[in-house]
């Protein structure tokens, strides 16, 4: 979201921030936000082999 929020208007940005904060509220513990999550990073590149 950080990549897209600077590109939207102020009202949309405020709505998104408000919605995300409300969604994470149950996970806020003092100054930390704690939750279990997983993240996958997938990468690929073209093979240098030539196909016939």
């Amino acid at each position: 979201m950080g990549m897209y929020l600077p590109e939207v208007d102020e009202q949309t940005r405020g709505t998104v921030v408000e919605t995300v904060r409300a969604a994470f509220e149950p996970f806020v513990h003092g100054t930390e936000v704690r939750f279990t999550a997983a993240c996958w990073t997938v990468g690929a590149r073209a093979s240098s082999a030539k196909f016939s």
Side-chain angles (χ1 to χ4, degrees):
M1 288 187 350
M3 293 174 57
Y4 300 106
L5 281 181
E7 308 217 358
V8 299
D9 61 86
E10 192 65 34
Q11 183 177 0
T12 300
R13 186 177 12 259
T15 300
V16 171
V17 169
E18 183 178 309
T19 302
V20 171
R21 282 187 176 157
F24 278 96
E25 186 61 35
F27 306 101
V28 175
H29 303 279
T31 59
E32 298 179 346
V33 178
R34 299 184 205 159
F35 58 94
T36 302
C39 181
W40 290 72
T41 301
V42 179
R45 61 183 163 148
S47 171
S48 60
K50 297 191 184 223
F51 297 98
S52 309

